[in-house]
């Protein structure tokens, strides 16, 4: 099965930029490889970020694109399995 499943749901997270700046974001989609989020900040392709989830989990990623108030990236560490 080569298909990558996307899980469409929304949850709040805190995005921490490489310079330490924190902002609230809404994660829209998650797959085994990456994520899409809604933000109101100045994010750019190539930015390395941390997503801090409400359960204390931290996911590291690199933004692959940013357009308007949406951005998407890949995980730098494999995330826990999403069912």
């Amino acid at each position: 099965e080569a298909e990558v499943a996307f899980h469409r749901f929304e949850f709040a997270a805190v995005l921490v930029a490489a310079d330490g700046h924190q902002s609230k974001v809404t994660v829209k989609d998650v797959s085994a490889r990456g994520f899409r989020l809604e933000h109101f900040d100045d994010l750019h392709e190539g930015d390395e970020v941390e997503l801090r989830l409400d359960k204390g989990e931290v996911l590291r990623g690199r933004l692959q694109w940013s357009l308007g108030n949406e951005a998407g990236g890949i995980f730098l560490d494999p995330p826990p399995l999403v069912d």
Side-chain angles (χ1 to χ4, degrees), residues 33-36 61-65 71-75:
R33 296 188 185 127
F35 56 90
R36 180 173 65 95
R62 180 179 300 116
L63 298 182
Q64 299 294 97
W65 60 271
I74 58 169
F75 291 116

Side-chain angles (χ1 to χ4, degrees), residues 11 30 49-53 57-61 75 77-80:
F11 60 89
V30 174
V49 298
E50 286 184 353
L51 290 173
R52 295 187 180 168
L53 311 184
E57 294 170 286
V58 176
L59 302 176
R60 294 185 327 118
F75 291 116
D77 302 315

Side-chain angles (χ1 to χ4, degrees), residues 72-83:
I74 58 169
F75 291 116
L76 297 177
D77 302 315
L81 291 176
V82 180
D83 289 324

